[in-house]
């Protein structure tokens, strides 16, 4: 079955960077792009961008341009999301999700990133 | 402005039919399909409806989706206690060139 398994939670100081991984299985990796979505505590879902696992093309949300980088590693069917210059506003659960027409279908379990001094 | 709007809350009694609306614009719902997601707090969202009115395998036919113009709707018939969750609509926005989520609706089964 389709599975997206993310790395564990992390605590970072303001100004630092965090890198979250998303290992996929159960389907052909390069067939579907991967999106990242985050959810701040008690808040709704915010789309961060997507990356093509076929050619590495990316499309980032405007408000995160310059701070977010998404990469792929085809040899391990893994996608990475790195977010820099962290502030307390970046404290959230980060999800990877497989892209299908019009949205996303399968989701990872989520990774809690806490930004605190 | 590219925004999707849902009511923050909805409720119903067991067996009732409830509807959750999702209002958008000509750059998102008006020209693209709508997805609906169900999220139990503390867990990852799950796809409930895709392509506006299609159900993934395993989703009961009590759940249905529709769209008219720039608004979409999720209907749940035969409401059950386990339907208590947060529900989100989403659609691609051509102006933002990104995926838009609405703020979510908390469904309570009384």
């Amino acid at each position: 079955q389709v599975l997206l398994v993310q790395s564990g939670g992390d605590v970072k100081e303001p100004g630092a960077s965090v890198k979250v991984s998303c290992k996929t299985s159960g389907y052909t990796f390069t067939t579907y792009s991967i999106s990242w979505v985050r959810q701040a505590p008690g808040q709704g879902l915010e789309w961060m961008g997507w990356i093509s696992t076929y050619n590495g093309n990316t499309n980032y949300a405007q408000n995160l341009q310059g701070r977010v980088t998404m990469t792929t590693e085809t040899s391990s069917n893994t996608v990475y999301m790195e977010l820099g210059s962290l502030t307390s506003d970046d404290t959230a659960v980060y999800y990877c999700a497989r892209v299908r027409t019009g949205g996303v279908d399968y989701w990872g379990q989520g990774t809690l990133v806490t930004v605190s001094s | 402005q590219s925004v999707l709007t849902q009511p923050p809350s909805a409720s119903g009694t067991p067996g009732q039919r409830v509807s959750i609306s999702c209002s958008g614009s000509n750059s998102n719902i008006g020209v693209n399909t709508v997805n609906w997601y169900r999220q139990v707090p503390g867990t990852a969202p799950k796809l409930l409806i895709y392509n506006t009115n299609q159900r993934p395998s395993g989703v009961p036919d009590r759940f249905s989706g529709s769209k008219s113009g720039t608004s979409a709707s999720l209907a749940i018939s035969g409401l059950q206690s386990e339907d208590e969750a947060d529900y989100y609509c989403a659609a691609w926005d051509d102006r933002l060139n990104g995926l838009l989520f609405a703020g979510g609706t908390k469904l309570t089964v009384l």
Side-chain angles (χ1 to χ4, degrees):
Chain A
Q1 77 277 27
V2 175
L3 283 177
L4 286 75
V5 179
Q6 301 181 220
S7 48
D10 209 344
V11 179
K12 294 292 185 182
E13 291 193 346
S17 295
V18 68
K19 192 169 187 177
V20 181
S21 67
C22 171
K23 184 172 176 60
T24 71
S25 61
Y27 69 97
T28 302
F29 179 68
T30 53
T31 302
Y32 295 87
S33 298
I34 294 290
S35 263
W36 289 87
V37 177
R38 69 178 180 177
Q39 186 171 36
Q43 302 300 310
L45 303 168
E46 178 190 11
W47 178 78
M48 300 177 66
W50 60 257
I51 181 166
S52 166
T53 54
Y54 177 73
N55 58 17
N57 286 349
T58 54
N59 179 24
Y60 302 139
Q62 270 191 319
N63 63 322
L64 295 174
Q65 292 269 3
R67 287 209 297 138
V68 66
T69 304
M70 298 176 189
T71 55
T72 67
E73 185 177 82
T74 304
S75 62
S76 63
N77 294 348
T78 301
V79 176
Y80 299 90
M81 185 282 300
E82 185 168 19
L83 185 63
S85 302
L86 293 170
T87 72
S88 57
D89 289 342
D90 296 313
T91 293
V93 175
Y94 289 76
Y95 295 101
C96 61
R98 193 179 76 166
V99 175
R100 67 170 297 149
T101 304
V104 296
D105 53 7
Y106 291 92
W107 298 65
Q109 84 276 19
T111 296
L112 175 61
V113 175
T114 303
V115 183
S116 174
S117 54
Chain B
Q1 192 176 3
S2 294
V3 174
L4 297 184
T5 303
Q6 288 180 242
S9 64
S11 63
T13 56
Q16 241 185 350
R17 174 186 167 96
V18 296
S19 265
I20 297 172
S21 62
C22 176
S23 176
S25 66
N26 286 324
S27 63
N28 41 69
I29 293 178
V31 292
N32 294 312
T33 60
V34 179
N35 285 4
W36 289 89
Y37 301 91
R38 177 179 181 272
Q39 185 182 35
V40 174
T43 68
K46 285 187 178 176
L47 182 64
L48 193 63
I49 297 287
Y50 68 97
N51 285 356
T52 302
N53 55 17
Q54 303 298 302
R55 285 185 308 276
S57 171
V59 173
D61 60 6
R62 302 187 296 107
F63 295 88
S64 62
S66 62
K67 182 177 92 165
S68 177
T70 59
S71 291
S73 186
L74 171 72
I76 309 172
S77 60
L79 199 62
Q80 300 178 3
S81 57
E82 54 261 40
D83 295 333
E84 272 206 353
D86 296 321
Y87 292 83
Y88 294 89
C89 64
W92 189 263
D93 189 279
D94 289 351
R95 186 182 305 146
L96 292 179
N97 194 26
L99 185 62
L100 262 186
F101 287 94
T105 298
K106 182 177 181 61
L107 176 63
T108 301
V109 180
L110 303 169

